[in-house]
Amino acid sequence: MKIAGESSRSIWLEEDGWTVGIFDQRRLPWALERMCLRTADDAFYAIADMATRGAPLIGAVAAYGLALALRVDGGDAALEAAFARLATARPTAINLFWALERVRRVVAPLASDERAAAAYAEAARLCDEDVAVNRAIGDAGLPLIREIARAKGGAPVNILTHCNAGWLATVDWGTATAPLYRAHDEGIGLHVWVDETRPRNQGALTAFELAEHGVPHSLIVDNAGGLLMQQGQVDMVIVGTDRVTANGDVCNKIGTYLKALAAQAHGVPFYVALPSGTYDPATPDGGSVPIEERSGDEVCFITGPDDAGVPTRVRVTGSPAHNPAFDITPTALVTGYVTEAGLLAGPADLARMFALSTEKV
Ligand code: MRU
């Protein structure tokens, strides 16, 4: 996708061929700053501190993090130590563990001096696949939007999304945003309601992306969606996910569940954009997913540039705060899963998709 007018992925290798480049998402949308990751620890902190974020991108950064570690020491102990460290960077998005396992599976049988190159190659493959998967999610979601546009006689389709499941959360295209970009590029009239997504305001990232791509949108506070659905101003909801469990429950950014409940109450279709790397058949249901609890400071303070453009942190409350970062939307509230294998209806379809995607790896 384009950022500041230039095509870019959200992760790349620098000219030296081994340093990993990312955008510092803590500074977006105010400033476009690139960051260099030169050690596995750099990758760990980038993930833990949310300089990089979004389930698929966290997986890609972790994969390169293992490569960075093996570049220094390709031995078994170093491999296991780096794996264990990176695996604790954040707890909820399954892609982190999926990507680490995938790289370890490839490098473990190799001699220690062959492992770094193999890890870099596997990380690059994983990134390329992420781009292809998201494009396929775009293909699968496009007909849903096209059909609503047809039923509305060409009037703009109003789509609500929560958090940022855009290209900044993936390697390119995004998951939930891929169908939106495809529809917009095809000339279908769209308007996107972008949930602010307190406390980390990932909605500002989604709005930034949509603006870069010229997609009409409005940022709304997290509590506005119910009213808009009640007023008939939402034609469909599409969100990303950090983990979908064996029974089809959807773990996603805190606030997703309330949107799904409102959507059901108002007969608005609720879709989940799901790449196979985010499917977790080993976890039976949403109740078994570890929900990340982040610092209460994220609730108590807001950060942004002051009038002079200087990044400023402002306290909004002195009260104690509780800050769970994700919630669970039961599968019963999901109209369909938009995947690289097409639109899937429920857990049985997901299991079949997973069987196919493991054959691929
Ligand atoms: O805490 P984050 O920003 O890493 O959360 C991840 C997300 O962006 C979402 O919840 C998203 O919808 C899934 S990632 C495509």
Side-chain angles (χ1 to χ4, degrees):
M1 302 299 289
K2 290 210 156 126
I3 190 160
E6 279 178 36
S7 288
S8 176
R9 288 185 173 185
S10 56
I11 184 167
W12 58 88
L13 282 186
E14 297 289 346
E15 275 180 10
D16 61 14
W18 66 270
T19 301
V20 180
I22 56 170
F23 294 106
D24 185 345
Q25 297 193 29
R26 295 167 301 189
R27 302 281 286 128
L28 283 169
W30 316 113
L32 184 59
E33 287 177 9
R34 292 170 172 81
M35 259 177 99
C36 286
L37 310 178
R38 296 191 176 86
T39 64
D41 243 29
D42 288 349
F44 172 86
Y45 285 114
I47 296 169
D49 202 41
M50 292 178 68
T52 193
R53 42 150 299 287
L57 186 57
I58 288 172
V61 171
Y64 274 118
L66 218 45
L68 288 167
L70 293 169
R71 195 174 164 267
V72 178
D73 181 347
D76 288 349
L79 170 62
E80 291 311 317
F83 184 103
R85 172 110 171 113
L86 286 160
T88 59
R90 291 187 72 188
T92 301
I94 192 66
N95 307 60
L96 173 68
F97 314 102
W98 170 80
L100 287 171
E101 293 283 5
R102 184 171 152 163
V103 174
R104 180 167 65 178
R105 195 165 55 237
V106 168
V107 302
L110 303 178
S112 58
D113 61 349
E114 295 173 335
R115 284 177 171 169
Y120 271 100
E122 190 60 14
R125 210 165 11 250
L126 187 149
C127 288
D128 289 345
E129 280 176 23
D130 184 71
V131 178
V133 160
N134 294 335
R135 280 192 66 102
I137 288 174
D139 290 341
L142 176 61
L144 302 172
I145 301 174
R146 205 188 271 141
E147 178 51 29
I148 296 171
R150 195 197 53 74
K152 289 185 79 175
V157 179
N158 286 305
I159 301 176
L160 185 143
T161 192
H162 189 73
C163 195
N164 172 253
W167 76 266
L168 285 165
T170 64
V171 178
D172 208 346
W173 287 100
T175 56
T177 53
L180 311 185
Y181 291 133
R182 290 296 311 279
H184 176 77
D185 292 348
E186 195 173 276
I188 296 173
L190 281 190
H191 170 262
V192 185
W193 299 113
V194 181
D195 282 351
E196 187 182 25
T197 318
R198 279 277 289 153
R200 293 292 297 224
N201 296 316
Q202 285 94 336
L205 300 175
T206 303
F208 168 79
E209 279 191 27
L210 293 172
E212 290 278 315
H213 203 79
V215 181
H217 61 279
S218 306
L219 195 63
I220 53 174
V221 298
D222 290 324
N223 294 325
L227 175 75
L228 294 173
M229 290 185 210
Q230 197 174 46
Q231 292 176 334
Q233 294 201 66
V234 181
D235 297 308
M236 88 182 227
V237 179
I238 186 163
V239 297
T241 173
D242 297 83
R243 189 187 295 226
V244 169
T245 56
N247 73 337
D249 287 351
V250 175
C251 178
N252 194 47
K253 183 55 56 194
I254 191 78
T256 304
Y257 174 41
L258 283 173
K259 294 297 137 55
L261 285 170
Q264 188 192 50
H266 296 290
V268 174
F270 182 94
Y271 293 104
V272 175
L274 168 64
S276 51
T278 309
Y279 178 58
D280 176 20
T283 299
D285 53 40
S288 313
V289 176
I291 301 289
E292 178 177 18
E293 287 205 14
R294 298 191 60 86
S295 165
D297 281 358
E298 292 184 348
V299 180
C300 297
F301 294 87
I302 50 171
T303 304
D306 65 12
D307 287 349
V310 179
T312 310
R313 189 169 179 252
V314 178
R315 179 180 276 282
V316 290
T317 176
S319 302
H322 175 51
N323 187 18
F326 299 92
D327 64 22
I328 304 296
T329 298
T331 184
L333 298 178
V334 178
T335 309
Y337 304 82
V338 187
T339 77
E340 72 259 37
L343 181 65
L344 303 179
D349 283 357
L350 294 177
R352 207 168 43 248
M353 174 189 89
F354 179 71
L356 289 175
S357 70
T358 45
E359 278 167 23
K360 211 174 54 187
V361 175

